[in-house]
Amino acid sequence: MLLECLHHSPRSTWAYAYDSRTIHLRLRTKRDDVETVYALAGDKYDWDAHYKELEMEKIASDHFFDYWEIGIRPEHKRFSYGFRLHAGDEIVWMVESGIYHEQPMPPGGYYEFPYIHEIDIFQAPQWAKDAVFYQIMPDRFANGDPSNDPEGTAEWGGQPQTEGFFGGDLKGVLDHLDYLTELGINAIYFTPIFKSPSNHKYDTIDYMEIDPQFGTKEDLKKLVKACHERGIRVVLDAVFNHSGVLFGPFQDVVKNGENSKYKDWFHIHSFPVEVKENRANYDTFGFYGHMPKFNTANPQVKQYLLKVATHWLEEYELDGWRLDVANEIDHMFWREFRQAVKAINPEAYIIGEVWSDSTMWLLGDQFDSVMNYPFSDKALAYFEACSMDGYTFANEISRLLMRYPQQTNEVVFNLLCSHDTPRVLTRLGGDKRRLKQAVVFLLTYIGTPCIFYGDEIGLQGGGDPDCRKCMEWDPERQDTELLDFYKMLIALRKNNPVLRHGRFRFLMAEPGDCRIIYERLDEEKHFTVWINNTEEQSTLSHPMVTNDWKDALTEEAVETQDGVMNIELEPLGYRILYRNIAKK
């Protein structure tokens, strides 16, 4: 046993309360090095009376390590614990005080979970686990009221540019709620709608006003009310890292310099504020001089932005916030933000824009979720070609799952593309078969899926601004077959709780083989998904102990042969099977 690879920590993702009664323990070992692992648990105040040995399950593997997990429900919401690991004839015990070849006397020196305090448990809104999101850029979705079009609005459907408008607005979204309902989505994420000179609105000049090109506050109220009547949640985009250069307080600094009462609202290095050779003498988002960065540690800034957040939640009954450039704002601000938002609406869903490991923001005191770009990066790298085998893909996905506790994985915001990336169909070379495989994975994977407007009817586009094309509303120019496919997969997810809450695990993912099989499993249903990510006809085989499987999309019975399931798939094909689990 390679003892240097053993790892456990009595905190964070390695030992955490999943709910008010259950504690999850995780342990890491070298890959293919350990055969079995047992959790040894007992109450430190009466170890013998409460002692249990529980076999842990290998739930994931990556290139270097295996990961083991178990859920324990201690009688008194507390316990001490250690681990016993077996590899052939070798047995070791791992406790907080060290690693031993003989069992140390419990409970002294063992790990400890002192008590489950419900207030400390990471709890995201339950509805987010059941949501299928749809991301909308208002200027590009639908023009419902031409009277509010900005001057110089381009003809709908033209080639998008960095500057320029197409006239989409809130009324346009309201007019197409039937379409969204039929698609099956039950949550919308809007990119910014507040007053701004740009088409994307990430350079806000008034956080208390809706941009006139999108309509009025009354239009927003009507839209939110209509969405709620259809069971659709509404999340807005909050740009609190920076403002636009025309934001009133920043313009006061431009005018009054060091005498401005707002000078400490921003990170200004010298006066007067200016931009020379494309570099500002104040901190900005990136190097964009028209987006000055807020000093969110300033009490006045904090008070102002928290007022913005709570005002829109309170007055318009919104269901959450997506937080732009969230990783460049201090953690103290986000902790107070969460408290303020949850005081207004405990069920508000808070999504941070963080493009990398987000553990620091997902400990229960800041965000509920983050935009899971690492997921999209790995999924698209796998589905765009057979250059990544199933073994590597499974390792990468498993590594991502081990970053966060289970309840976080259940609500992490999974996407294949967004307004900041090339369109998914473009990324996949325009191959609709590859797109379907990627969508199957998105909608049968653990987490909260999000679809970028227009992906479902075949919109393509490269990086910004090409990915921000106008929605196509002419049925003759929509890929209606693809649209029906999206509807079918969304309905499958919504109709089967196991696809939203069940355990995820790879069943087959071999080196040199681009084909994979994975499962979703709970107490009532068992799904298996078979994907042939090759350009050739192929038969996938895997042991299946029961013979009660059906095709999840056709209800056709699928039989095993001598305890083995053999599934023939066309090139770049997939199949989704399920069986009902008999209740004990």
Side-chain angles (χ1 to χ4, degrees):
M1 225 180 287
L2 195 62
L3 303 185
E4 297 93 324
C5 290
L6 303 185
H7 179 73
H8 174 78
S9 177
R11 57 186 179 275
S12 187
T13 59
W14 299 94
Y16 61 89
Y18 175 71
D19 57 33
S20 62
R21 297 295 307 169
T22 310
I23 297 166
H24 284 186
L25 300 180
R26 289 177 178 172
L27 177 72
R28 188 191 76 190
T29 65
K30 181 180 182 296
R31 181 158 188 160
D32 300 327
D33 189 46
V34 173
E35 295 167 2
T36 53
V37 179
Y38 293 88
L40 316 177
D43 194 298
K44 72 175 182 179
Y45 297 109
D46 191 347
W47 178 268
D48 292 336
H50 298 277
Y51 177 69
K52 293 181 181 179
E53 293 188 7
L54 302 167
E55 186 172 356
M56 301 180 72
E57 181 181 9
K58 186 192 296 183
I59 61 165
S61 300
D62 61 23
H63 291 283
F64 303 111
F65 305 113
D66 289 327
Y67 299 89
W68 307 76
E69 184 177 89
I70 190 169
I72 299 177
R73 305 191 76 180
E75 183 179 356
H76 300 291
K77 296 189 177 184
R78 65 175 185 247
F79 67 106
S80 296
Y81 63 95
F83 304 99
R84 189 176 73 237
L85 300 87
H86 297 249
D89 295 332
E90 185 179 9
I91 302 175
V92 301
W93 283 261
M94 181 178 177
V95 297
E96 188 169 37
S97 61
I99 299 172
Y100 305 91
H101 285 87
E102 294 184 0
Q103 182 174 8
M105 182 66 66
Y110 278 53
Y111 298 108
E112 183 177 359
F113 200 105
Y115 194 79
I116 300 176
H117 290 281
E118 193 160 352
I119 195 171
D120 290 333
I121 300 172
F122 175 92
Q123 293 180 327
Q126 181 66 33
W127 66 264
K129 298 180 182 180
D130 299 326
V132 178
F133 266 86
Y134 191 80
Q135 181 190 353
I136 292 177
M137 289 195 73
D139 183 60
R140 307 298 161 86
F141 188 66
N143 189 342
D145 183 5
S147 70
N148 60 27
D149 289 0
E151 184 178 350
T153 294
E155 183 178 352
W156 192 262
Q159 180 61 34
Q161 306 295 328
T162 301
E163 308 292 337
F165 305 91
F166 285 100
D169 48 35
L170 298 177
K171 178 68 162 52
V173 180
L174 183 64
D175 291 343
H176 289 89
L177 287 184
D178 284 345
Y179 170 84
L180 296 178
T181 301
E182 291 169 7
L183 178 59
I185 65 97
N186 53 13
I188 298 173
Y189 149 44
F190 286 102
T191 54
I193 65 171
F194 305 124
K195 192 172 182 180
S196 156
S198 67
N199 55 52
H200 54 73
K201 309 302 178 193
Y202 283 101
D203 50 351
T204 311
I205 63 175
D206 192 335
Y207 288 84
M208 290 299 186
E209 294 294 335
I210 293 173
D211 196 288
Q213 81 162 93
F214 293 155
T216 66
K217 293 178 178 178
E218 188 58 33
D219 290 332
L220 178 61
K221 283 189 175 182
K222 287 180 181 178
L223 177 57
V224 173
K225 183 175 185 293
C227 284
H228 287 172
E229 289 172 350
R230 296 166 181 264
I232 298 174
R233 308 274 183 161
V234 178
V235 171
L236 296 187
D237 206 321
V239 190
F240 291 166
N241 175 68
H242 56 271
S243 72
V245 72
L246 298 179
F247 179 55
F250 189 77
Q251 282 299 302
D252 191 275
V253 177
V254 172
K255 179 180 178 181
N256 297 310
E258 284 190 276
N259 296 320
S260 172
K261 64 179 181 180
Y262 298 107
K263 67 176 182 178
D264 294 327
W265 279 43
F266 308 92
H267 300 271
I268 298 171
H269 308 309
S270 61
F271 296 94
V273 294
E274 58 185 349
V275 178
K276 283 186 177 181
E277 298 178 353
N278 296 321
R279 288 293 185 270
N281 63 344
Y282 49 90
D283 291 349
T284 62
F285 166 62
F287 293 108
Y288 298 103
H290 67 291
M291 295 182 181
K293 181 177 175 62
F294 279 122
N295 176 13
T296 47
N298 180 294
Q300 292 177 326
V301 174
K302 187 180 300 184
Q303 182 182 20
Y304 172 79
L305 294 178
L306 294 184
K307 180 181 178 182
V308 170
T310 55
H311 166 77
W312 290 99
L313 282 180
E314 238 175 350
E315 295 296 320
Y316 297 87
E317 299 182 356
L318 300 174
D319 299 291
W321 288 105
R322 182 265 189 186
L323 307 170
D324 189 55
V325 203
N327 59 329
E328 296 185 19
I329 297 176
D330 62 274
H331 291 281
M332 287 298 294
F333 176 85
W334 289 133
R335 292 186 182 101
E336 293 188 40
F337 175 89
R338 182 181 184 88
Q339 292 177 356
V341 165
K342 296 292 186 176
I344 299 296
N345 179 4
E347 288 296 296
Y349 182 43
I350 302 173
I351 313 158
E353 184 199 14
V354 184
W355 289 59
S356 54
D357 189 328
S358 306
T359 304
M360 287 293 293
W361 292 271
L362 295 171
L363 299 177
D365 60 344
Q366 295 172 68
F367 307 157
D368 296 314
S369 180
V370 291
M371 300 186 75
N372 199 3
Y373 284 108
F375 163 85
S376 60
D377 289 344
K378 302 306 179 186
L380 294 178
Y382 172 68
F383 288 109
E384 70 181 346
C386 190
S387 56
M388 177 187 288
D389 60 20
Y391 177 81
T392 302
F393 179 56
N395 288 342
E396 295 291 351
I397 292 297
S398 296
R399 184 172 61 87
L400 294 181
L401 285 173
M402 291 299 98
R403 280 181 173 179
Y404 308 133
Q406 180 177 331
Q407 58 261 55
T408 305
N409 286 327
E410 290 171 349
V411 295
V412 70
F413 201 77
N414 295 328
L415 64 161
L416 295 174
C417 66
S418 74
H419 65 290
D420 285 326
T421 70
R423 289 269 176 179
V424 57
L425 186 53
T426 299
R427 173 72 185 269
L428 298 176
D431 192 327
K432 195 165 70 171
R433 299 171 301 170
R434 293 191 178 279
L435 173 62
K436 287 183 176 181
Q437 286 191 332
V439 173
V440 165
F441 190 71
L442 174 72
L443 292 171
T444 59
Y445 183 65
I446 187 170
T448 302
C450 180
I451 297 162
F452 190 33
Y453 77 93
D455 283 348
E456 75 280 6
I457 50 97
L459 277 193
Q460 293 201 51
D464 174 22
D466 195 39
C467 58
R468 303 176 179 186
K469 290 179 177 176
C470 295
M471 178 66 177
E472 180 57 69
W473 291 111
D474 182 354
E476 296 297 320
R477 302 181 66 178
Q478 292 181 340
D479 187 331
T480 54
E481 189 274 336
L482 183 61
L483 177 60
D484 287 341
F485 166 81
Y486 268 85
K487 290 179 180 178
M488 177 177 66
L489 263 293
I490 292 171
L492 182 71
R493 183 180 182 90
K494 291 173 68 176
N495 293 334
N496 291 278
V498 63
L499 295 179
R500 309 191 302 273
H501 309 283
R503 182 187 70 183
F504 173 92
R505 186 175 64 172
F506 285 97
L507 299 178
M508 187 194 89
E510 301 296 332
D513 189 341
C514 293
R515 306 168 304 166
I516 58 172
I517 306 170
Y518 58 91
E519 70 178 357
R520 299 298 307 274
L521 177 68
D522 66 10
E523 294 78 15
E524 298 183 358
K525 276 192 178 180
H526 188 185
F527 269 71
T528 56
V529 182
W530 308 61
I531 292 180
N532 175 25
N533 187 24
T534 76
E535 298 277 0
E536 300 174 354
Q537 192 95 359
S538 184
T539 299
L540 279 73
S541 301
H542 195 269
M544 293 291 183
V545 295
T546 61
N547 198 28
D548 51 356
W549 292 89
K550 292 183 178 181
D551 188 294
L553 302 179
T554 67
E555 292 296 323
E556 174 189 355
V558 183
E559 297 184 354
T560 59
Q561 296 178 354
D562 299 323
V564 176
M565 182 77 74
N566 299 296
I567 300 296
E568 186 172 349
L569 294 176
E570 60 189 19
L572 299 177
Y574 67 90
R575 199 162 187 191
I576 306 171
L577 308 181
Y578 82 95
R579 68 182 182 93
N580 295 313
I581 298 175
K583 295 183 179 180
K584 296 181 181 180

